Amino acid sequence: MESERTMDDIIKRWQRATERADVEQVRVIEVGGEYRATSSSSPLHSYVLRSTDRGWACECIANREFMMPCKHLAALATVLGLDLIADMRIELPLDAAPVVQAA
Ligand SMILES: [Zn+2]
């Protein structure tokens, strides 16, 4: 895994995640008030998607361990109309942090 994380890199990862969600037909279903992502290419696995105070999170390794974009969150964004940068729990590069004005 690359150590350098740039905004370009994040956007490219979201593009790939969105393509994979489409190709693998990742579906988002709601079960008992909880969102889950299932993939038709791996029907035995489903991943819980939850809204946290840092944005939507997925329990797959990419997002849980590395705070990376994943195809499950990409699918959720499509279904709920969420913003891939603002609404997701991903680790952003430092230069993307909001600028705090000095008083
Ligand atoms: Zn995921």
Side-chain angles (χ1 to χ4, degrees), residues 37 47 49 58-64 68-73:
Y47 297 96
L49 306 161
C58 180
E59 65 173 0
C60 75
I61 291 204
N63 189 254
R64 176 169 48 86
M68 285 291 190
C70 71
K71 60 190 175 186
H72 315 108
L73 289 173

Side-chain angles (χ1 to χ4, degrees), residues 11-84:
I11 289 164
K12 283 193 188 114
R13 283 175 191 278
W14 275 126
Q15 284 168 346
R16 278 200 299 271
T18 303
E19 282 165 16
R20 287 185 62 200
D22 190 41
V23 169
E24 298 177 20
Q25 295 185 289
V26 175
R27 308 241 177 264
V28 173
I29 54 173
E30 199 182 341
V31 183
E34 187 176 72
Y35 285 105
R36 284 180 166 266
T38 64
S39 171
S40 54
S41 70
S42 52
L44 295 179
H45 291 96
S46 75
Y47 297 96
V48 175
L49 306 161
R50 22 177 98 77
S51 181
T52 73
D53 55 5
R54 294 187 59 189
W56 282 90
C58 180
E59 65 173 0
C60 75
I61 291 204
N63 189 254
R64 176 169 48 86
E65 296 284 326
F66 302 105
M67 300 278 192
M68 285 291 190
C70 71
K71 60 190 175 186
H72 315 108
L73 289 173
L76 182 75
T78 303
V79 172
L80 298 187
L82 300 170
D83 189 290
L84 291 172

